[in-house]
Amino acid sequence: MIKSLKNQLVVALGLLVTVIGIVQGVSSYQLSKTGMSALLDLRLEQVAARMRDGYAEGIPENPARGSQDDRDVVVVVWKPDADLPFRTTDPALHFPRDAQAGFSGAEVNDEHWRIFTREEPTMTIQVAQRSSVRREITQKAATQTLWPIAVLLPLVWIAVALVVRRSLRQLTELGAEVQAIDMSHLQPLPTVGVPTEIAPFIDSINTMIERLATSIEKERKFIADAAHELRTPLTALQLQADNLAPHIVAGNQERFQELRKGIARSGKLITQLLRLARADAPMNGAPLSRVDLSEVVTGAVADVLPIAIARGMDIGAEEMVNAHVRAVETDIGMAVKNLVSNAVRYTPDGGTIDLRMRRDGEMVWVDVIDNGPGIEEALLPRVFDRFFRANPDVEGSGLGLSIVKAIAARYGGDVTLKNRSDGHSGIVASISFPVEEVSENVIAPALNT
Ligand SMILES: Nc1ncnc2c1ncn2[C@@H]1O[C@H](COP(=O)(O)OP(=O)(O)OP(=O)(O)O)[C@@H](O)[C@H]1O
Ligand SMILES: [Mg+2]
């Protein structure tokens, strides 16, 4: 069973064309054979007619035996009442004198002959030809008619394959488009110039995309609303804890601090949830500005500098590129800061963190390179999943990288996280954005602690 629609069509059409070709071939072969036979008969008749016009006397009286070519016609002329032929082109052949007038067949000298007998008042004329010679001539002529079909059939197969491939190309393209649907940018498939047979599929897919987008948006809104609703009671809880703090007896201090930490953790989680819901939200005409990416990078370094210094870390922005991105400034800031704060958070005290910028075609990349422990290769594909944390010993909500990914996708950029491949342990976290306009390479003074 052939699964591919394309192959099914090619085979079906190809077989159909082949059957038509064979039927056509057989009929033209037969027609040509019959036509050639009729021509050969006509020739016998014409030769006989000539003999009647006095040519018979022109045949030598005693022609040498076997002097005639096997393929030639043999002429025998009988006079009435004579037992031997008056003239014959081959005396070795004895044709039946009483053969019926017109065409007949006879075995002469162990060979089959086709004989035309013409009765005249003064003579009987017989013109004969070997059936084997006639068969050879007719077959040869008929075989010639098969050549065009034999040449055309493979060409038609190729043409069928090409036409089917061309016609189904749009289906293949549609498949690729469906596969390339970006969950973070659910766009309906284009319907212009689509063949009528495919249009219903595209309509159904577009309806599905619409429903999916609606349900994703509903989920996003629910998360945003839930986080928002949770924030008020949590703030109240925090206030209550603050008010209670002076009244906690010494023996309960430790447990009370745990309680406050828990409240703070929940607060961070809610903040991250809100940020994720915002980053996932459609742009909906948010005010975009020309964001200087190198400023964002130095800003992110400056933000974590106090913590880095306190932990004896060396953090610096080295290779800088002058590039601008059209975006909501806080989005770009948050994405870069998330990567930098991950590097600070997961690199042990005294570690080194480098930030670099680079251009790659239309994109500008920011690399954040640390010399921390890195991430187990098997876990790497999951780091962008919501709530996934590769290292549960360090506190975190597991949403930071999901936020970064949503922001990158929002602007048509990308984000990657890899273990360093230069022989050192650590992570290279990179984010890219499309550059607003061409900019030059500027080596900014290194900003180091
Ligand atoms: N530079 C890094 N070095 C080592 N591990 C990292 C690094 N960056 C991220 N990770 C791992 O990837 C996980 C996911 O990171 P992500 O930023 O999404 O969440 P988080 O840092 O745990 O929490 P959040 O950023 O929401 O406070 C982290 O828990 C950590 O295990
Ligand atoms: Mg993080």
Side-chain angles (χ1 to χ4, degrees):
M1 186 67 198
I2 310 170
K3 283 244 174 78
S4 149
L5 197 63
K6 191 173 85 186
N7 294 349
Q8 274 182 30
L9 269 171
V10 170
V11 169
L13 287 174
L15 286 178
L16 188 69
V17 168
T18 309
V19 169
I20 292 173
I22 290 172
V23 171
Q24 165 70 28
V26 168
S27 69
S28 71
Y29 184 84
Q30 289 301 343
L31 276 175
S32 161
K33 254 174 93 168
T34 322
M36 191 43 95
S37 232
L39 267 178
L40 291 174
D41 282 353
L42 187 68
R43 195 164 139 238
L44 297 186
E45 278 183 73
Q46 281 175 341
V47 172
R50 282 286 164 89
M51 293 304 131
R52 183 200 55 184
D53 298 340
Y55 279 84
E57 276 76 12
I59 300 171
E61 266 186 63
N62 291 308
R65 284 169 177 259
S67 64
Q68 243 196 306
D69 192 297
D70 278 356
R71 303 172 70 81
D72 281 353
V73 293
V74 172
V75 181
V76 185
V77 181
W78 307 83
K79 287 285 180 189
D81 303 328
D83 287 337
L84 290 172
F86 166 62
R87 288 285 193 278
T88 173
T89 51
D90 193 337
L93 299 166
H94 303 287
F95 290 101
R97 192 197 160 156
D98 53 352
Q100 64 176 78
F103 288 100
S104 60
E107 291 289 328
V108 178
N109 288 14
D110 294 335
E111 276 183 293
H112 193 269
W113 290 76
R114 176 121 170 121
I115 306 167
F116 177 70
T117 307
R118 190 182 178 116
E119 304 277 6
E120 292 290 329
T122 54
M123 62 178 104
T124 299
I125 304 158
Q126 288 188 315
V127 185
Q129 189 173 29
R130 281 182 178 82
S131 296
S132 61
V133 171
R134 290 169 61 90
R135 217 170 17 251
E136 191 191 310
I137 293 170
T138 51
Q139 261 171 9
K140 199 172 164 194
T143 311
Q144 301 275 2
T145 65
L146 295 180
W147 275 111
I149 287 167
V151 173
L152 272 178
L153 263 186
L155 292 180
V156 170
W157 267 92
I158 294 171
V160 163
L162 287 178
V163 168
V164 169
R165 215 173 98 171
R166 209 184 136 80
S167 314
L168 292 185
R169 192 187 299 155
Q170 268 174 310
L171 217 56
T172 321
E173 279 169 9
L174 174 68
E177 270 175 46
V178 172
Q179 222 160 30
I181 290 176
D182 182 355
M183 288 302 280
S184 56
H185 275 100
L186 283 174
Q187 296 284 339
L189 299 172
T191 46
V192 214
V194 166
T196 39
E197 291 82 359
I198 301 180
F201 285 108
I202 298 199
D203 285 344
S204 323
I205 292 171
N206 281 348
T207 315
M208 252 169 56
I209 290 177
E210 235 171 79
R211 280 196 206 133
L212 200 61
T214 316
S215 82
I216 289 175
E217 179 56 17
K218 264 191 197 154
E219 182 205 359
R220 188 197 66 75
K221 268 208 170 116
F222 174 76
I223 293 172
D225 291 348
H228 198 78
E229 291 298 317
L230 279 169
R231 213 151 61 157
T232 321
L234 203 74
T235 314
L237 214 60
Q238 195 142 25
L239 270 173
Q240 297 286 359
D242 288 346
N243 291 341
L244 218 60
H247 310 290
I248 300 296
V249 290
N252 283 341
Q253 269 301 335
E254 205 176 315
R255 276 149 73 188
F256 182 67
Q257 288 315 322
E258 277 303 315
L259 183 70
R260 290 187 87 174
K261 270 192 208 159
I263 294 172
R265 261 201 308 274
S266 308
K268 275 184 201 155
L269 176 62
I270 287 169
T271 309
Q272 288 291 75
L273 272 175
L274 272 172
R275 284 178 180 158
L276 180 60
R278 257 181 234 135
D280 269 337
M283 291 291 272
N284 281 346
L288 301 182
S289 57
R290 208 170 117 85
V291 182
D292 184 340
L293 196 57
S294 53
E295 265 178 30
V296 172
V297 170
T298 43
V301 173
D303 275 358
V304 295
L305 212 51
I307 306 170
I309 292 172
R311 292 182 46 203
M313 288 176 143
D314 176 10
I315 180 165
E318 288 186 350
E319 291 157 28
M320 301 293 273
V321 164
N322 185 9
H324 292 82
V325 178
R326 185 128 209 103
V328 176
E329 184 151 14
T330 48
D331 279 354
I332 307 295
M334 192 187 304
V336 176
K337 266 180 219 161
N338 266 331
L339 296 185
V340 176
S341 66
N342 271 356
V344 173
R345 193 185 292 174
Y346 299 105
T347 305
D349 293 356
T352 308
I353 296 162
D354 285 330
L355 274 86
R356 283 180 202 158
M357 287 176 74
R358 62 191 157 91
R359 274 293 295 268
D360 182 8
E362 298 294 295
M363 308 300 281
V364 56
W365 286 85
V366 176
D367 298 326
V368 182
I369 306 152
D370 64 53
N371 68 347
I375 300 174
E376 213 181 300
E377 281 296 321
L379 299 179
L380 265 179
R382 297 170 56 195
V383 289
F384 293 105
D385 292 352
R386 291 174 189 182
F387 302 109
F388 178 77
R389 293 169 56 221
N391 180 358
D393 299 339
V394 183
E395 204 176 286
S397 57
L399 290 176
L401 289 175
S402 306
I403 296 169
V404 178
K405 192 172 178 171
I407 293 174
R410 184 175 228 203
Y411 295 103
D414 200 4
V415 54
T416 61
L417 209 84
K418 292 177 197 149
N419 280 308
R420 281 171 71 162
S421 54
D422 57 1
H424 297 273
S425 73
I427 286 288
V428 183
S430 312
I431 184 163
S432 70
F433 296 103
V435 178
E436 201 196 10
E437 64 188 34
V438 183
S439 56
E440 294 154 33
N441 239 5
V442 175
I443 308 298
L447 177 67
N448 275 315
T449 51

